[in-house]
PDB file of all heavy atoms in Angstrom:
ATOM      1  N   GLY A  26     -37.860 -13.987  38.937  1.00 69.00           N
ATOM      2  CA  GLY A  26     -38.598 -14.430  37.768  1.00 69.00           C
ATOM      3  C   GLY A  26     -39.480 -15.614  38.094  1.00 69.00           C
ATOM      4  O   GLY A  26     -39.476 -16.151  39.192  1.00 69.00           O
ATOM      5  N   THR A  30     -37.559 -21.883  32.458  1.00 69.00           N
ATOM      6  CA  THR A  30     -37.328 -23.254  31.995  1.00 69.00           C
ATOM      7  C   THR A  30     -36.203 -23.259  30.983  1.00 69.00           C
ATOM      8  O   THR A  30     -35.982 -22.293  30.263  1.00 69.00           O
ATOM      9  CB  THR A  30     -38.580 -23.850  31.323  1.00 69.00           C
ATOM     10  OG1 THR A  30     -38.920 -23.051  30.196  1.00 69.00           O
ATOM     11  CG2 THR A  30     -39.748 -23.913  32.285  1.00 69.00           C
ATOM     12  N   GLY A  31     -35.495 -24.347  30.949  1.00 63.00           N
ATOM     13  CA  GLY A  31     -34.448 -24.512  29.947  1.00 63.00           C
ATOM     14  C   GLY A  31     -33.121 -23.951  30.401  1.00 63.00           C
ATOM     15  O   GLY A  31     -33.022 -23.226  31.384  1.00 63.00           O
ATOM     16  N   GLN A  33     -29.248 -22.784  28.477  1.00 63.00           N
ATOM     17  CA  GLN A  33     -28.459 -22.628  27.251  1.00 63.00           C
ATOM     18  C   GLN A  33     -27.013 -22.937  27.578  1.00 63.00           C
ATOM     19  O   GLN A  33     -26.419 -22.348  28.471  1.00 63.00           O
ATOM     20  CB  GLN A  33     -28.567 -21.209  26.702  1.00 63.00           C
ATOM     21  CG  GLN A  33     -27.752 -21.014  25.446  1.00 63.00           C
ATOM     22  CD  GLN A  33     -27.918 -19.625  24.864  1.00 63.00           C
ATOM     23  OE1 GLN A  33     -28.834 -18.897  25.234  1.00 63.00           O
ATOM     24  NE2 GLN A  33     -27.047 -19.274  23.962  1.00 63.00           N
ATOM     25  N   ALA A  41      -9.391 -23.877  14.625  1.00 53.00           N
ATOM     26  CA  ALA A  41      -8.291 -24.491  13.864  1.00 53.00           C
ATOM     27  C   ALA A  41      -7.062 -23.594  13.924  1.00 53.00           C
ATOM     28  O   ALA A  41      -5.930 -24.063  13.885  1.00 53.00           O
ATOM     29  CB  ALA A  41      -8.721 -24.725  12.426  1.00 53.00           C
ATOM     30  N   ALA A  50       2.790 -26.038  10.957  1.00 96.00           N
ATOM     31  CA  ALA A  50       2.736 -25.995   9.496  1.00 96.00           C
ATOM     32  C   ALA A  50       3.039 -24.593   8.980  1.00 96.00           C
ATOM     33  O   ALA A  50       3.744 -24.429   7.974  1.00 96.00           O
ATOM     34  CB  ALA A  50       1.369 -26.465   9.006  1.00 96.00           C
ATOM     35  N   LEU A  61      13.105 -19.733  -0.302  1.00 95.00           N
ATOM     36  CA  LEU A  61      12.733 -19.461  -1.696  1.00 95.00           C
ATOM     37  C   LEU A  61      12.980 -18.010  -2.076  1.00 95.00           C
ATOM     38  O   LEU A  61      13.366 -17.712  -3.208  1.00 95.00           O
ATOM     39  CB  LEU A  61      11.252 -19.807  -1.913  1.00 95.00           C
ATOM     40  CG  LEU A  61      10.683 -19.552  -3.299  1.00 95.00           C
ATOM     41  CD1 LEU A  61      11.367 -20.456  -4.326  1.00 95.00           C
ATOM     42  CD2 LEU A  61       9.190 -19.770  -3.290  1.00 95.00           C
ATOM     43  N   PRO A  67      13.333  -9.569  -7.743  1.00 95.00           N
ATOM     44  CA  PRO A  67      12.940  -8.613  -6.694  1.00 95.00           C
ATOM     45  C   PRO A  67      11.432  -8.359  -6.611  1.00 95.00           C
ATOM     46  O   PRO A  67      10.894  -8.256  -5.497  1.00 95.00           O
ATOM     47  CB  PRO A  67      13.682  -7.333  -7.074  1.00 95.00           C
ATOM     48  CG  PRO A  67      14.867  -7.811  -7.840  1.00 95.00           C
ATOM     49  CD  PRO A  67      14.415  -9.044  -8.575  1.00 95.00           C
ATOM     50  N   ARG A  71       9.146  -9.081  -3.265  1.00 95.00           N
ATOM     51  CA  ARG A  71       8.329  -8.045  -2.596  1.00 95.00           C
ATOM     52  C   ARG A  71       6.908  -8.541  -2.358  1.00 95.00           C
ATOM     53  O   ARG A  71       6.307  -8.258  -1.315  1.00 95.00           O
ATOM     54  CB  ARG A  71       8.330  -6.755  -3.402  1.00 95.00           C
ATOM     55  CG  ARG A  71       9.556  -5.895  -3.167  1.00 95.00           C
ATOM     56  CD  ARG A  71       9.393  -4.501  -3.753  1.00 95.00           C
ATOM     57  NE  ARG A  71       9.187  -4.515  -5.199  1.00 95.00           N
ATOM     58  CZ  ARG A  71      10.164  -4.594  -6.102  1.00 95.00           C
ATOM     59  NH1 ARG A  71      11.420  -4.663  -5.719  1.00 95.00           N
ATOM     60  NH2 ARG A  71       9.893  -4.598  -7.399  1.00 95.00           N
ATOM     61  N   ASP A  75       5.064  -8.773   1.160  1.00 94.00           N
ATOM     62  CA  ASP A  75       3.770  -8.130   1.418  1.00 94.00           C
ATOM     63  C   ASP A  75       2.771  -9.097   2.046  1.00 94.00           C
ATOM     64  O   ASP A  75       1.864  -8.676   2.764  1.00 94.00           O
ATOM     65  CB  ASP A  75       3.173  -7.570   0.122  1.00 94.00           C
ATOM     66  CG  ASP A  75       3.946  -6.374  -0.408  1.00 94.00           C
ATOM     67  OD1 ASP A  75       4.771  -5.799   0.341  1.00 94.00           O
ATOM     68  OD2 ASP A  75       3.729  -6.018  -1.593  1.00 94.00           O
ATOM     69  N   PRO A  78       2.890 -10.878   6.667  1.00 92.00           N
ATOM     70  CA  PRO A  78       2.113 -10.592   7.888  1.00 92.00           C
ATOM     71  C   PRO A  78       0.812 -11.392   7.976  1.00 92.00           C
ATOM     72  O   PRO A  78       0.453 -11.872   9.055  1.00 92.00           O
ATOM     73  CB  PRO A  78       1.831  -9.092   7.799  1.00 92.00           C
ATOM     74  CG  PRO A  78       2.942  -8.562   6.954  1.00 92.00           C
ATOM     75  CD  PRO A  78       3.225  -9.647   5.948  1.00 92.00           C
ATOM     76  N   ALA A  79       0.128 -11.567   6.859  1.00 92.00           N
ATOM     77  CA  ALA A  79      -1.125 -12.331   6.882  1.00 92.00           C
ATOM     78  C   ALA A  79      -0.864 -13.810   7.143  1.00 92.00           C
ATOM     79  O   ALA A  79      -1.681 -14.500   7.750  1.00 92.00           O
ATOM     80  CB  ALA A  79      -1.879 -12.152   5.565  1.00 92.00           C
ATOM     81  N   SER A  81       1.844 -15.071   8.896  1.00 81.00           N
ATOM     82  CA  SER A  81       2.422 -15.296  10.211  1.00 81.00           C
ATOM     83  C   SER A  81       1.538 -14.816  11.346  1.00 81.00           C
ATOM     84  O   SER A  81       1.814 -15.101  12.508  1.00 81.00           O
ATOM     85  CB  SER A  81       3.788 -14.609  10.307  1.00 81.00           C
ATOM     86  OG  SER A  81       3.646 -13.216  10.169  1.00 81.00           O
ATOM     87  N   ASP A  85       0.527  -6.536  11.983  1.00 49.00           N
ATOM     88  CA  ASP A  85      -0.089  -5.828  10.869  1.00 49.00           C
ATOM     89  C   ASP A  85      -1.056  -6.703  10.081  1.00 49.00           C
ATOM     90  O   ASP A  85      -1.654  -6.261   9.108  1.00 49.00           O
ATOM     91  CB  ASP A  85       0.991  -5.311   9.906  1.00 49.00           C
ATOM     92  CG  ASP A  85       1.880  -4.277  10.569  1.00 49.00           C
ATOM     93  OD1 ASP A  85       1.400  -3.610  11.501  1.00 49.00           O
ATOM     94  OD2 ASP A  85       3.040  -4.145  10.141  1.00 49.00           O
ATOM     95  N   ALA A  86      -1.210  -7.953  10.464  1.00 51.00           N
ATOM     96  CA  ALA A  86      -2.042  -8.882   9.696  1.00 51.00           C
ATOM     97  C   ALA A  86      -3.519  -8.626   9.946  1.00 51.00           C
ATOM     98  O   ALA A  86      -3.952  -8.362  11.049  1.00 51.00           O
ATOM     99  CB  ALA A  86      -1.710 -10.316  10.083  1.00 51.00           C
ATOM    100  N   GLN A  88      -7.115  -9.934  10.540  1.00 59.00           N
ATOM    101  CA  GLN A  88      -7.577 -11.138  11.212  1.00 59.00           C
ATOM    102  C   GLN A  88      -8.613 -11.902  10.394  1.00 59.00           C
ATOM    103  O   GLN A  88      -9.061 -12.957  10.808  1.00 59.00           O
ATOM    104  CB  GLN A  88      -8.146 -10.764  12.585  1.00 59.00           C
ATOM    105  CG  GLN A  88      -7.110 -10.174  13.513  1.00 59.00           C
ATOM    106  CD  GLN A  88      -5.913 -11.073  13.713  1.00 59.00           C
ATOM    107  OE1 GLN A  88      -6.048 -12.266  13.937  1.00 59.00           O
ATOM    108  NE2 GLN A  88      -4.720 -10.521  13.605  1.00 59.00           N
ATOM    109  N   PRO A  90     -10.148 -14.437   7.911  1.00 84.00           N
ATOM    110  CA  PRO A  90      -9.678 -15.674   7.287  1.00 84.00           C
ATOM    111  C   PRO A  90      -9.476 -15.519   5.780  1.00 84.00           C
ATOM    112  O   PRO A  90      -8.591 -16.135   5.210  1.00 84.00           O
ATOM    113  CB  PRO A  90     -10.794 -16.682   7.575  1.00 84.00           C
ATOM    114  CG  PRO A  90     -11.534 -16.122   8.732  1.00 84.00           C
ATOM    115  CD  PRO A  90     -11.380 -14.633   8.654  1.00 84.00           C
ATOM    116  N   VAL A 100       1.225 -16.692  -2.338  1.00 96.00           N
ATOM    117  CA  VAL A 100       2.522 -17.337  -2.113  1.00 96.00           C
ATOM    118  C   VAL A 100       2.633 -18.601  -2.960  1.00 96.00           C
ATOM    119  O   VAL A 100       3.669 -18.857  -3.589  1.00 96.00           O
ATOM    120  CB  VAL A 100       2.722 -17.636  -0.616  1.00 96.00           C
ATOM    121  CG1 VAL A 100       3.899 -18.561  -0.386  1.00 96.00           C
ATOM    122  CG2 VAL A 100       2.909 -16.334   0.146  1.00 96.00           C
ATOM    123  N   GLY A 102       1.130 -19.224  -5.749  1.00 96.00           N
ATOM    124  CA  GLY A 102       1.260 -18.815  -7.145  1.00 96.00           C
ATOM    125  C   GLY A 102       2.684 -18.424  -7.500  1.00 96.00           C
ATOM    126  O   GLY A 102       3.204 -18.808  -8.557  1.00 96.00           O
ATOM    127  N   ALA A 105       4.878 -21.532  -7.552  1.00 95.00           N
ATOM    128  CA  ALA A 105       4.630 -22.367  -8.727  1.00 95.00           C
ATOM    129  C   ALA A 105       5.374 -21.851  -9.955  1.00 95.00           C
ATOM    130  O   ALA A 105       5.680 -22.621 -10.864  1.00 95.00           O
ATOM    131  CB  ALA A 105       3.137 -22.446  -9.000  1.00 95.00           C
ATOM    132  N   VAL A 107       8.381 -20.931 -10.138  1.00 90.00           N
ATOM    133  CA  VAL A 107       9.790 -21.332 -10.141  1.00 90.00           C
ATOM    134  C   VAL A 107       9.925 -22.852 -10.118  1.00 90.00           C
ATOM    135  O   VAL A 107      10.917 -23.392  -9.640  1.00 90.00           O
ATOM    136  CB  VAL A 107      10.581 -20.663  -8.995  1.00 90.00           C
ATOM    137  CG1 VAL A 107      10.776 -19.198  -9.277  1.00 90.00           C
ATOM    138  CG2 VAL A 107       9.922 -20.875  -7.658  1.00 90.00           C
ATOM    139  N   GLY A 111      10.152 -24.285  -6.190  1.00 94.00           N
ATOM    140  CA  GLY A 111       9.046 -23.787  -5.385  1.00 94.00           C
ATOM    141  C   GLY A 111       8.087 -24.858  -4.908  1.00 94.00           C
ATOM    142  O   GLY A 111       7.190 -24.573  -4.114  1.00 94.00           O
ATOM    143  N   ALA A 117       3.604 -26.965   1.214  1.00 97.00           N
ATOM    144  CA  ALA A 117       3.378 -26.402   2.549  1.00 97.00           C
ATOM    145  C   ALA A 117       2.106 -25.561   2.575  1.00 97.00           C
ATOM    146  O   ALA A 117       1.342 -25.606   3.547  1.00 97.00           O
ATOM    147  CB  ALA A 117       4.587 -25.580   2.992  1.00 97.00           C
ATOM    148  N   VAL A 118       1.859 -24.811   1.504  1.00 97.00           N
ATOM    149  CA  VAL A 118       0.620 -24.029   1.414  1.00 97.00           C
ATOM    150  C   VAL A 118      -0.576 -24.969   1.401  1.00 97.00           C
ATOM    151  O   VAL A 118      -1.580 -24.725   2.086  1.00 97.00           O
ATOM    152  CB  VAL A 118       0.626 -23.112   0.169  1.00 97.00           C
ATOM    153  CG1 VAL A 118      -0.762 -22.547  -0.094  1.00 97.00           C
ATOM    154  CG2 VAL A 118       1.625 -21.986   0.342  1.00 97.00           C
ATOM    155  N   LYS A 120      -0.830 -27.863   2.717  1.00 96.00           N
ATOM    156  CA  LYS A 120      -1.018 -28.408   4.068  1.00 96.00           C
ATOM    157  C   LYS A 120      -1.722 -27.397   4.972  1.00 96.00           C
ATOM    158  O   LYS A 120      -2.665 -27.746   5.689  1.00 96.00           O
ATOM    159  CB  LYS A 120       0.327 -28.801   4.668  1.00 96.00           C
ATOM    160  CG  LYS A 120       0.193 -29.418   6.046  1.00 96.00           C
ATOM    161  CD  LYS A 120       1.509 -29.922   6.581  1.00 96.00           C
ATOM    162  CE  LYS A 120       1.305 -30.589   7.929  1.00 96.00           C
ATOM    163  NZ  LYS A 120       2.538 -31.170   8.436  1.00 96.00           N
ATOM    164  N   GLY A 123      -5.315 -27.086   4.031  1.00 94.00           N
ATOM    165  CA  GLY A 123      -6.062 -28.261   4.511  1.00 94.00           C
ATOM    166  C   GLY A 123      -6.370 -28.173   5.991  1.00 94.00           C
ATOM    167  O   GLY A 123      -7.472 -28.503   6.430  1.00 94.00           O
ATOM    168  N   LEU A 125      -6.711 -25.497   7.642  1.00 89.00           N
ATOM    169  CA  LEU A 125      -7.704 -24.433   7.832  1.00 89.00           C
ATOM    170  C   LEU A 125      -9.079 -24.833   7.313  1.00 89.00           C
ATOM    171  O   LEU A 125     -10.042 -24.079   7.434  1.00 89.00           O
ATOM    172  CB  LEU A 125      -7.247 -23.148   7.124  1.00 89.00           C
ATOM    173  CG  LEU A 125      -6.046 -22.441   7.754  1.00 89.00           C
ATOM    174  CD1 LEU A 125      -5.549 -21.330   6.833  1.00 89.00           C
ATOM    175  CD2 LEU A 125      -6.432 -21.880   9.117  1.00 89.00           C
TER     176      LEU A 125
END
Side-chain angles (χ1 to χ4, degrees):
T30 60
Q33 179 177 345
L61 178 65
R71 278 192 299 277
D75 290 346
S81 63
D85 296 333
Q88 296 304 314
V100 168
V107 288
V118 167
K120 182 175 183 176
L125 290 170

